[in-house]
């Protein structure tokens, strides 16, 4: 989340040393003691006591928790108000309503301490940040454990630099949360369901050399903000049967030059919808730009809108792939 404009702005689960892999939770200790689970998060092995007052940041953290039925274990969530439409369109609206919203901007150490949280999930840069004084190490000093989204491990200075694809990062997080919270069976079932849905979408995908060139426009006028190799949309587009024109960009979410967009010659454009930057305004801006007038996507009016909540790492990624696949097939791609 961590994540597009909000973030600066976001391994196989069986490998302990891999980025985000889970090991079996330790057996419960003597009566009254807190069970724990060992999890390798961004390459650092952590022994997590079972959280009882968890705080999630942004759609990504909140919906990974909600998807596993963990809303009752949450002290609250923090989410920037620009993501509010993502709540309205979420499958987890009831959970959002039931869990206290602790803030409508970025998460801070003050919010976490004030909530008496014992555990926090967020991404690097979007949530955890050296500059803003909220990091796993700083939280540990005040007795709060942390979990970092696997998607953002590549950018974490002390993290494991081995890369996993964005969807594998999502699955890793869900399995890890299952271990931390003692709902491993639920996590395994959910991951199997998501994988199955992704495989079904892939069945209708065209051959790789015939896939549509897709550009993700998040925001930005001087420089467009888009999704690179390590952001969820790259896998969403791949599952849907397209090709992210910036799939080779060794970034998560990043600004690029307009020249690079023109050179990519996109055949379809995915618009990320925010509360303060409606998709219609972004589409009108792109259509009015002489730089992109000859792009096939603009000439053919090929725009597909997905919400911010669909595009950050989370269980909604598969729904986004299903939606985009339907659109691409509708335009003959």
């Amino acid at each position: 989340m961590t994540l597009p404009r909000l973030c600066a702005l976001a391994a196989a689960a069986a490998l302990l040393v891999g980025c985000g892999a889970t090991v079996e939770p330790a057996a419960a200790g003597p009566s009254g003691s807190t069970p724990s689970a060992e999890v390798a998060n961004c390459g650092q092995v952590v022994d997590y006591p079972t959280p009882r007052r968890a705080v999630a940041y942004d759609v990504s953290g909140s919906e990974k928790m909600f998807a596993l039925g963990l809303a009752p274990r949450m002290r609250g969530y923090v989410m920037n108000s620009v993501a509010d439409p993502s709540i309205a369109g979420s499958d987890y609206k009831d959970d959002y309503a039931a869990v206290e919203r602790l803030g409508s901007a970025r998460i801070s150490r003050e919010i976490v301490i004030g909530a008496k949280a014992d555990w926090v999930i967020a991404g690097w840069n979007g949530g955890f940040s050296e500059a803003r004084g909220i990091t796993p190490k700083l939280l540990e000093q005040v007795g709060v454990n942390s979990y970092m989204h696997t998607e953002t491990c590549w950018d974490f200075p002390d993290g494991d630099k081995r890369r996993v694809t964005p969807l594998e990062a999502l699955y890793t997080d869900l399995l890890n949360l299952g271990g931390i919270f003692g709902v491993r069976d639920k996590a395994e079932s959910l991951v199997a369901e998501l994988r199955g849905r992704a495989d079904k979408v892939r069945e209708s995908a065209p051959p790789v050399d015939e896939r549509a060139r897709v550009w993700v426009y998040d925001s930005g006028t001087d420089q467009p903000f888009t999704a690179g190799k390590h952001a969820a949309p790259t896998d969403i587009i791949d599952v849907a049967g397209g090709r992210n024109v910036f799939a080779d960009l060794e970034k998560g979410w990043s600004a690029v030059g307009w020249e690079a967009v023109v050179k990519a010659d996109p055949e379809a454009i995915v618009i990320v919808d925010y509360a303060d930057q409606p998709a219609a305004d972004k589409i009108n801006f792109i259509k009015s730009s002489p730089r992109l007038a000859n792009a096939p996507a603009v000439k053919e009016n090929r725009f597909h809108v997905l919400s911010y909540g669909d595009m950050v790492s989370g269980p909604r990624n598969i729904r986004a792939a299903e939606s985009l696949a339907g659109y691409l097939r509708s335009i003959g791609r």
Side-chain angles (χ1 to χ4, degrees), residues 53-317:
R53 295 176 63 84
V55 169
Y57 176 59
D58 203 55
V59 176
S60 187
S62 300
E63 297 199 356
K64 287 173 186 175
M65 297 285 288
F66 295 156
L68 293 172
L70 296 173
R73 310 275 285 278
M74 293 174 65
R75 171 62 182 85
Y77 70 94
V78 179
M79 189 178 301
N80 194 299
S81 58
V82 301
D84 283 355
S86 297
I87 296 177
S90 175
D91 293 332
Y92 309 104
K93 286 185 290 187
D94 291 344
D95 290 314
Y96 279 115
V99 176
E100 183 178 354
R101 186 170 186 166
L102 301 172
S104 297
R106 291 197 177 190
I107 194 167
S108 67
R109 190 165 49 163
E110 291 73 22
I111 289 175
V112 172
I113 294 172
K116 296 181 171 60
D118 60 2
W119 184 89
V120 177
I121 180 171
W124 185 252
N125 283 335
F128 299 127
S129 165
E130 293 277 7
R132 293 188 297 103
I134 178 169
T135 68
K137 286 183 179 179
L138 291 172
L139 289 176
E140 185 179 10
Q141 293 172 9
V142 293
V144 181
N145 288 314
S146 302
Y147 182 87
M148 193 177 307
H149 298 303
T150 300
E151 183 193 50
T152 67
C153 289
W154 63 272
D155 199 32
F156 178 48
D158 299 326
D160 190 334
K161 299 306 179 185
R162 284 175 290 181
R163 309 290 174 83
V164 295
T165 65
L167 280 182
E168 287 302 320
L170 165 63
Y171 302 147
T172 295
D173 288 341
L174 292 171
L175 293 171
N176 280 348
L177 294 179
I180 293 169
F181 285 87
V183 291
R184 186 180 303 279
D185 289 348
K186 171 69 173 177
E188 290 176 349
S189 176
L190 176 60
V191 169
E193 176 200 337
L194 295 175
R195 287 186 185 277
R197 287 168 58 191
D199 289 343
K200 185 174 181 179
V201 175
R202 287 189 180 98
E203 292 175 359
S204 68
V208 174
D209 59 354
E210 296 178 14
R211 294 187 168 199
R213 300 183 300 276
V214 181
W215 170 47
V216 177
Y217 180 53
D218 175 90
S219 58
T221 54
D222 293 337
Q223 285 188 307
F225 203 62
T226 192
K229 181 177 183 178
H230 305 292
T234 291
D235 273 9
I236 291 170
I237 293 167
D238 179 68
V239 169
R243 180 173 62 83
N244 181 4
V245 296
F246 289 107
D248 294 331
L249 180 65
E250 289 285 346
K251 299 279 188 179
W253 291 87
S254 179
V256 296
W258 284 109
E259 297 80 6
V261 178
V262 173
K263 184 178 179 180
D265 202 31
E267 297 172 288
I269 299 173
V270 171
I271 302 292
V272 184
D273 194 22
Y274 287 99
D276 64 337
Q277 292 191 18
D281 292 350
K282 294 179 183 180
I283 292 172
N284 289 335
F285 169 73
I286 292 171
K287 285 182 175 180
S288 67
S289 172
R291 289 174 289 204
L292 295 175
N294 292 321
V298 176
K299 292 169 70 174
E300 299 296 328
N301 196 35
R302 292 175 173 174
F303 296 90
H304 187 62
V305 178
L306 291 170
S307 83
Y308 169 82
D310 295 324
M311 302 298 273
V312 296
S313 177
R316 265 200 263 183
N317 291 162

